[in-house]
Amino acid sequence: MLFDTHAHFDDERFDADRDAMLEQMKDFGVTNITNIASSMASSRRSVELAEKYDFVYASVGVHPSETENLTETDMEELRRLAQHPKVRAIGEIGLDYHYPDDVAPDIQKKWFIRQLDLAQELNMPVIIHDRDSKGDSLEILKKMKISNGVVHCFSGSAETAREIIKLGMMISFTGVLTFKNARRAIEACAAVPTDRLMIETDCPYMAPEPHRGERNHSGYVRYVAEKMAEIKGISYEEMVDITDRNAKRFFGI
Ligand SMILES: [Zn+2]
């Protein structure tokens, strides 16, 4: 009953074997996947995947690094795509200041806020990508009173995790939790109440130990659940069950 809440099966790294991979997922005990969009093209592909596979749900939205040439016409298309019954969230959206030559922060902020507006208007949860934004993402979420959302691939401190929880949001962890230098992520995970936790792979990226460096896939989400169970001091089965229920509540399944 594993639920991978954040996968990118539309990514070109799955071009050679996408269908074969998705058909294998049940053998890994994965019963649900949300395919997360990162651009306009990927939003369309995400919906197509959700149409093709009954166990795949989709989000639509544009990642901060893809916001440079966005237009209001794109927002209209997102609004239209979001009406599809298998689209359950807006994302991934947010801020990413990691690379200095990436899209200018002002442009990123503009489209982050615009997509948060859209999610509020449609009453849909948001998938937040926040990397090195120095508190800007959290400030915007607070200001706009966003409570229906998840901060994905969480890499912040336990203190930041508590602030996100206070907003009413969820926090999800990737295979980063299994890395040898994961002390900070482990501390953050320990600080999150179990009913606010979700598991994800962010595949094809972020493969967990013992597959670090390989192409990731949803079948490896069990390593995240195992580590999380260990951190929380509960059984693996219990953790899988809790995160499955949390994800279904979050995505309205
Ligand atoms: Zn992602």
Side-chain angles (χ1 to χ4, degrees):
M1 294 297 279
L2 288 160
F3 196 136
D4 183 1
T5 63
H6 193 118
H8 298 284
F9 278 99
D10 59 287
D11 191 278
E12 60 183 14
R13 288 176 71 187
F14 288 113
D15 279 356
D17 60 354
R18 178 171 299 110
D19 291 313
M21 286 303 296
L22 281 166
E23 274 151 25
Q24 268 183 60
M25 286 307 133
K26 288 206 166 82
D27 303 335
F28 284 96
V30 177
T31 47
N32 287 103
I33 295 170
T34 307
N35 198 79
I36 306 294
S38 55
S39 65
M40 289 307 297
S42 133
S43 296
R44 292 173 206 121
R45 289 199 299 268
S46 192
V47 175
E48 281 168 23
L49 281 174
E51 274 181 346
K52 191 165 178 185
Y53 294 96
D54 60 352
F55 63 97
V56 175
Y57 291 84
S59 77
V60 295
V62 180
H63 183 285
S65 303
E66 302 284 337
T67 52
E68 183 83 65
N69 299 308
L70 276 180
T71 64
E72 275 304 318
T73 312
D74 293 324
M75 292 303 108
E76 279 313 307
E77 185 179 357
L78 281 187
R79 182 199 311 273
R80 191 178 54 74
L81 288 169
Q83 314 291 327
H84 190 286
K86 299 230 26 216
V87 174
R88 298 301 172 96
I90 300 294
E92 54 187 287
I93 59 176
L95 300 174
D96 191 330
Y97 302 165
H98 187 69
Y99 300 104
D101 57 348
D102 206 336
V103 178
D106 281 354
I107 296 176
Q108 292 191 27
K109 279 185 200 166
K110 172 186 168 181
W111 293 107
F112 180 33
I113 292 167
R114 187 68 190 79
Q115 292 180 92
L116 287 171
D117 273 336
L118 182 64
Q120 281 187 320
E121 179 200 320
L122 299 172
N123 201 17
M124 292 175 86
V126 288
I127 317 286
I128 305 297
H129 169 99
D130 178 26
R131 191 179 187 198
D132 299 343
S133 83
K134 299 173 182 70
D136 284 3
S137 296
L138 196 58
E139 194 186 309
I140 289 171
L141 293 171
K142 275 184 188 161
K143 209 167 170 183
M144 292 182 69
K145 297 191 167 56
I146 303 292
S147 58
N148 189 12
V150 60
V151 178
H152 108 95
C153 194
F154 190 73
S155 60
S157 64
E159 191 192 339
T160 306
R162 285 189 201 98
E163 284 191 69
I164 292 160
I165 294 306
K166 216 185 288 172
L167 288 175
M169 294 177 69
M170 312 281 290
I171 293 184
S172 79
F173 289 90
T174 59
V176 168
L177 213 51
T178 67
F179 294 173
K180 290 191 172 57
N181 55 354
R183 196 176 56 87
R184 201 163 114 111
I186 289 169
E187 282 171 8
C189 181
V192 179
T194 50
D195 66 343
R196 299 292 190 89
L197 283 170
M198 295 204 290
I199 52 173
E200 59 163 309
T201 57
D202 203 15
C203 68
Y205 316 101
M206 302 290 176
E209 294 289 359
H211 297 282
R212 192 170 180 179
E214 294 172 25
R215 183 183 70 171
N216 198 4
H217 64 72
S218 295
Y220 292 164
V221 78
R222 75 175 175 90
Y223 296 106
V224 183
E226 276 170 10
K227 187 69 196 183
M228 217 177 243
E230 185 193 315
I231 294 165
K232 288 297 186 186
I234 60 177
S235 72
Y236 170 72
E237 290 73 19
E238 214 176 334
M239 197 74 237
V240 170
D241 187 48
I242 290 168
T243 50
D244 182 55
R245 273 188 278 131
N246 291 349
K248 284 179 175 155
R249 188 177 71 236
F250 183 80
F251 292 113
I253 294 166

